[in-house]
Amino acid sequence: MTTKPPPAVINAPGDSVESIAYKAVSGIPTADGHDRDRLGYNIYRWLMYRKDPLEIAVRTAGSRLQISEEEAVGRIRESLRKQGVPDVD
């Protein structure tokens, strides 16, 4: 029995919403890498729809943060500002 190699991964452009969201959470310490991915996905959804405050997006991610939610929100907000995202306050 043989298996095929996995498909190649094509990274999103650096200025795409996906890249911005995942870059914003890259420095957040979590218990597991999947927690950071889940947080990044929730930030991506927040950037796309902006229905709730950023704090709600962080809380609903359910990520096991190793820092307080308030500190995580502050770091994410600062990263989004540095990347040129408007209205992150």
Side-chain angles (χ1 to χ4, degrees):
M1 179 190 273
T2 63
T3 59
K4 295 180 184 178
V9 175
I10 301 172
N11 293 326
D15 61 346
S16 69
V17 178
E18 297 92 340
S19 294
I20 291 169
Y22 284 96
K23 186 176 180 182
V25 301
S26 64
I28 304 296
T30 57
D32 185 6
H34 296 294
D35 290 316
R36 192 173 305 106
D37 292 340
R38 197 167 36 254
L39 181 59
Y41 175 72
N42 275 272
I43 300 305
Y44 163 76
R45 286 181 42 90
W46 181 81
L47 287 169
M48 294 298 293
Y49 305 110
R50 298 205 189 198
K51 291 184 178 182
D52 294 317
L54 181 59
E55 292 81 2
I56 300 297
V58 171
R59 184 170 296 129
T60 58
S63 297
R64 296 169 292 173
L65 302 172
Q66 295 181 337
I67 58 175
S68 69
E69 281 186 13
E70 294 80 19
E71 186 176 348
V73 168
R75 288 185 185 188
I76 292 168
R77 188 170 276 139
E78 183 62 30
S79 178
L80 292 173
R81 273 192 208 111
K82 285 181 181 176
Q83 294 182 70
V85 176
D87 303 325
V88 293
D89 293 321

PDB file of all heavy atoms in Angstrom, residues 9-23:
ATOM      1  N   VAL A   9       1.441  23.449   0.833  1.00  0.00           N
ATOM      2  CA  VAL A   9       0.754  24.531   1.529  1.00  0.00           C
ATOM      3  C   VAL A   9       1.121  25.839   0.852  1.00  0.00           C
ATOM      4  O   VAL A   9       2.294  26.138   0.657  1.00  0.00           O
ATOM      5  CB  VAL A   9       1.160  24.574   3.019  1.00  0.00           C
ATOM      6  CG1 VAL A   9       0.549  25.776   3.715  1.00  0.00           C
ATOM      7  CG2 VAL A   9       0.768  23.290   3.705  1.00  0.00           C
ATOM      8  N   ILE A  10       0.100  26.587   0.494  1.00  0.00           N
ATOM      9  CA  ILE A  10       0.325  27.895  -0.116  1.00  0.00           C
ATOM     10  C   ILE A  10      -0.039  28.938   0.929  1.00  0.00           C
ATOM     11  O   ILE A  10      -1.185  29.038   1.356  1.00  0.00           O
ATOM     12  CB  ILE A  10      -0.532  28.071  -1.381  1.00  0.00           C
ATOM     13  CG1 ILE A  10      -0.186  26.973  -2.392  1.00  0.00           C
ATOM     14  CG2 ILE A  10      -0.331  29.451  -1.965  1.00  0.00           C
ATOM     15  CD1 ILE A  10      -1.093  26.944  -3.596  1.00  0.00           C
ATOM     16  N   ASN A  11       0.953  29.688   1.362  1.00  0.00           N
ATOM     17  CA  ASN A  11       0.722  30.709   2.383  1.00  0.00           C
ATOM     18  C   ASN A  11      -0.020  31.894   1.797  1.00  0.00           C
ATOM     19  O   ASN A  11       0.172  32.260   0.639  1.00  0.00           O
ATOM     20  CB  ASN A  11       2.039  31.170   2.986  1.00  0.00           C
ATOM     21  CG  ASN A  11       2.707  30.090   3.789  1.00  0.00           C
ATOM     22  OD1 ASN A  11       2.042  29.277   4.424  1.00  0.00           O
ATOM     23  ND2 ASN A  11       4.024  30.058   3.768  1.00  0.00           N
ATOM     24  N   ALA A  12      -0.864  32.509   2.627  1.00  0.00           N
ATOM     25  CA  ALA A  12      -1.601  33.699   2.215  1.00  0.00           C
ATOM     26  C   ALA A  12      -0.636  34.872   2.087  1.00  0.00           C
ATOM     27  O   ALA A  12       0.402  34.904   2.763  1.00  0.00           O
ATOM     28  CB  ALA A  12      -2.687  34.012   3.238  1.00  0.00           C
ATOM     29  N   PRO A  13      -0.949  35.836   1.237  1.00  0.00           N
ATOM     30  CA  PRO A  13      -0.095  37.018   1.134  1.00  0.00           C
ATOM     31  C   PRO A  13       0.022  37.722   2.484  1.00  0.00           C
ATOM     32  O   PRO A  13      -0.892  37.658   3.311  1.00  0.00           O
ATOM     33  CB  PRO A  13      -0.827  37.912   0.127  1.00  0.00           C
ATOM     34  CG  PRO A  13      -1.752  37.009  -0.607  1.00  0.00           C
ATOM     35  CD  PRO A  13      -2.076  35.882   0.315  1.00  0.00           C
ATOM     36  N   GLY A  14       1.115  38.400   2.722  1.00  0.00           N
ATOM     37  CA  GLY A  14       1.380  39.033   4.003  1.00  0.00           C
ATOM     38  C   GLY A  14       0.404  40.115   4.410  1.00  0.00           C
ATOM     39  O   GLY A  14       0.249  40.418   5.578  1.00  0.00           O
ATOM     40  N   ASP A  15      -0.296  40.707   3.441  1.00  0.00           N
ATOM     41  CA  ASP A  15      -1.249  41.770   3.765  1.00  0.00           C
ATOM     42  C   ASP A  15      -2.691  41.285   3.778  1.00  0.00           C
ATOM     43  O   ASP A  15      -3.619  42.080   3.878  1.00  0.00           O
ATOM     44  CB  ASP A  15      -1.085  42.937   2.797  1.00  0.00           C
ATOM     45  CG  ASP A  15      -1.341  42.527   1.352  1.00  0.00           C
ATOM     46  OD1 ASP A  15      -1.389  41.318   1.056  1.00  0.00           O
ATOM     47  OD2 ASP A  15      -1.486  43.429   0.506  1.00  0.00           O
ATOM     48  N   SER A  16      -2.901  39.983   3.714  1.00  0.00           N
ATOM     49  CA  SER A  16      -4.264  39.448   3.744  1.00  0.00           C
ATOM     50  C   SER A  16      -4.805  39.473   5.170  1.00  0.00           C
ATOM     51  O   SER A  16      -4.057  39.539   6.142  1.00  0.00           O
ATOM     52  CB  SER A  16      -4.290  38.022   3.200  1.00  0.00           C
ATOM     53  OG  SER A  16      -3.638  37.152   4.105  1.00  0.00           O
ATOM     54  N   VAL A  17      -6.110  39.417   5.288  1.00  0.00           N
ATOM     55  CA  VAL A  17      -6.752  39.444   6.607  1.00  0.00           C
ATOM     56  C   VAL A  17      -6.295  38.248   7.446  1.00  0.00           C
ATOM     57  O   VAL A  17      -6.050  38.376   8.648  1.00  0.00           O
ATOM     58  CB  VAL A  17      -8.290  39.455   6.459  1.00  0.00           C
ATOM     59  CG1 VAL A  17      -8.971  39.423   7.814  1.00  0.00           C
ATOM     60  CG2 VAL A  17      -8.734  40.676   5.682  1.00  0.00           C
ATOM     61  N   GLU A  18      -6.158  37.090   6.819  1.00  0.00           N
ATOM     62  CA  GLU A  18      -5.716  35.895   7.539  1.00  0.00           C
ATOM     63  C   GLU A  18      -4.332  36.102   8.138  1.00  0.00           C
ATOM     64  O   GLU A  18      -4.094  35.796   9.307  1.00  0.00           O
ATOM     65  CB  GLU A  18      -5.683  34.667   6.612  1.00  0.00           C
ATOM     66  CG  GLU A  18      -7.018  34.261   6.059  1.00  0.00           C
ATOM     67  CD  GLU A  18      -7.315  34.906   4.703  1.00  0.00           C
ATOM     68  OE1 GLU A  18      -6.688  35.937   4.359  1.00  0.00           O
ATOM     69  OE2 GLU A  18      -8.177  34.383   4.005  1.00  0.00           O
ATOM     70  N   SER A  19      -3.419  36.614   7.336  1.00  0.00           N
ATOM     71  CA  SER A  19      -2.053  36.835   7.808  1.00  0.00           C
ATOM     72  C   SER A  19      -2.008  37.861   8.931  1.00  0.00           C
ATOM     73  O   SER A  19      -1.276  37.686   9.913  1.00  0.00           O
ATOM     74  CB  SER A  19      -1.156  37.292   6.657  1.00  0.00           C
ATOM     75  OG  SER A  19      -1.018  36.268   5.711  1.00  0.00           O
ATOM     76  N   ILE A  20      -2.790  38.910   8.804  1.00  0.00           N
ATOM     77  CA  ILE A  20      -2.831  39.944   9.835  1.00  0.00           C
ATOM     78  C   ILE A  20      -3.325  39.356  11.155  1.00  0.00           C
ATOM     79  O   ILE A  20      -2.756  39.594  12.217  1.00  0.00           O
ATOM     80  CB  ILE A  20      -3.713  41.127   9.390  1.00  0.00           C
ATOM     81  CG1 ILE A  20      -3.022  41.875   8.248  1.00  0.00           C
ATOM     82  CG2 ILE A  20      -4.027  42.064  10.547  1.00  0.00           C
ATOM     83  CD1 ILE A  20      -3.883  42.901   7.547  1.00  0.00           C
ATOM     84  N   ALA A  21      -4.394  38.567  11.093  1.00  0.00           N
ATOM     85  CA  ALA A  21      -4.975  37.984  12.307  1.00  0.00           C
ATOM     86  C   ALA A  21      -4.000  37.039  12.990  1.00  0.00           C
ATOM     87  O   ALA A  21      -3.785  37.122  14.204  1.00  0.00           O
ATOM     88  CB  ALA A  21      -6.269  37.249  11.961  1.00  0.00           C
ATOM     89  N   TYR A  22      -3.407  36.130  12.237  1.00  0.00           N
ATOM     90  CA  TYR A  22      -2.509  35.152  12.843  1.00  0.00           C
ATOM     91  C   TYR A  22      -1.203  35.790  13.308  1.00  0.00           C
ATOM     92  O   TYR A  22      -0.614  35.351  14.290  1.00  0.00           O
ATOM     93  CB  TYR A  22      -2.255  33.983  11.893  1.00  0.00           C
ATOM     94  CG  TYR A  22      -3.448  33.056  11.841  1.00  0.00           C
ATOM     95  CD1 TYR A  22      -4.408  33.169  10.844  1.00  0.00           C
ATOM     96  CD2 TYR A  22      -3.645  32.085  12.812  1.00  0.00           C
ATOM     97  CE1 TYR A  22      -5.514  32.336  10.805  1.00  0.00           C
ATOM     98  CE2 TYR A  22      -4.739  31.248  12.795  1.00  0.00           C
ATOM     99  CZ  TYR A  22      -5.669  31.377  11.790  1.00  0.00           C
ATOM    100  OH  TYR A  22      -6.767  30.561  11.769  1.00  0.00           O
ATOM    101  N   LYS A  23      -0.769  36.843  12.634  1.00  0.00           N
ATOM    102  CA  LYS A  23       0.420  37.555  13.094  1.00  0.00           C
ATOM    103  C   LYS A  23       0.136  38.288  14.398  1.00  0.00           C
ATOM    104  O   LYS A  23       0.996  38.374  15.276  1.00  0.00           O
ATOM    105  CB  LYS A  23       0.886  38.544  12.024  1.00  0.00           C
ATOM    106  CG  LYS A  23       2.177  39.229  12.349  1.00  0.00           C
ATOM    107  CD  LYS A  23       2.629  40.111  11.203  1.00  0.00           C
ATOM    108  CE  LYS A  23       3.936  40.795  11.528  1.00  0.00           C
ATOM    109  NZ  LYS A  23       4.360  41.697  10.453  1.00  0.00           N
TER     110      LYS A  23
END
